[in-house]
Amino acid sequence: MAPSHVTPNRRPARDCPFCHIAAGTGPARLVVDGPDVIAFLPLRPVHPGHVLVVPRHHLEDIWELDEETATAVTRTVLRVAHAVRAVFRPDGLNVIQSSGAAATQTVPHLFLGQFRSVS
């Protein structure tokens, strides 16, 4: 099995900040530390309750996502959504996934972001 910082085509994702976080070498406040998926608070959250859920191994976007990893990511999103609801009691919640620069993806690593809604 390839290390978590290696892309599916075996190229290291040396410049990927999410791979550094997954490897334990990047700054992060982890809220979930699982074998296949991590979730963490961004350094500059948009709102209280803003959490990023990412697969441990490097996937650039949704088109590289396989069903097994999608299941693990989705389970973690649901777990984090319930925690955000319990802590912040938001009126609503957005779960956002952006793939590609045209869709406002700024980090070349698949992630789903959760944002506490503002009233």
Side-chain angles (χ1 to χ4, degrees):
M1 180 188 288
S4 64
H5 65 283
V6 175
T7 63
N9 61 8
R10 305 276 189 218
R11 288 183 294 117
R14 292 189 181 128
D15 295 331
C16 177
F18 293 172
C19 286
H20 289 290
I21 292 168
T25 60
R29 297 172 289 168
L30 293 178
V31 295
V32 174
D33 189 5
D36 301 315
V37 179
I38 60 172
F40 56 93
L41 304 174
L43 296 177
R44 291 181 300 269
V46 175
H47 299 288
H50 181 181
V51 179
L52 300 176
V53 178
V54 305
R56 276 194 175 277
H57 61 280
H58 188 81
L59 299 171
E60 285 200 16
D61 53 39
I62 200 163
W63 295 290
E64 291 186 358
L65 183 62
D66 59 87
E67 287 186 24
E68 184 178 335
T69 305
T71 299
V73 168
T74 302
R75 282 187 180 130
T76 304
V77 166
L78 184 58
R79 182 177 166 196
V80 171
H82 284 286
V84 167
R85 185 179 192 194
V87 172
F88 295 102
R89 300 281 184 216
D91 294 332
L93 181 80
N94 292 325
V95 178
I96 299 170
Q97 194 291 310
S98 300
S99 287
T104 70
Q105 182 181 11
T106 57
V107 176
H109 189 118
L110 175 77
F111 69 91
L112 281 84
Q114 297 187 332
F115 302 83
R116 175 181 162 260
S117 72
V118 289
S119 307

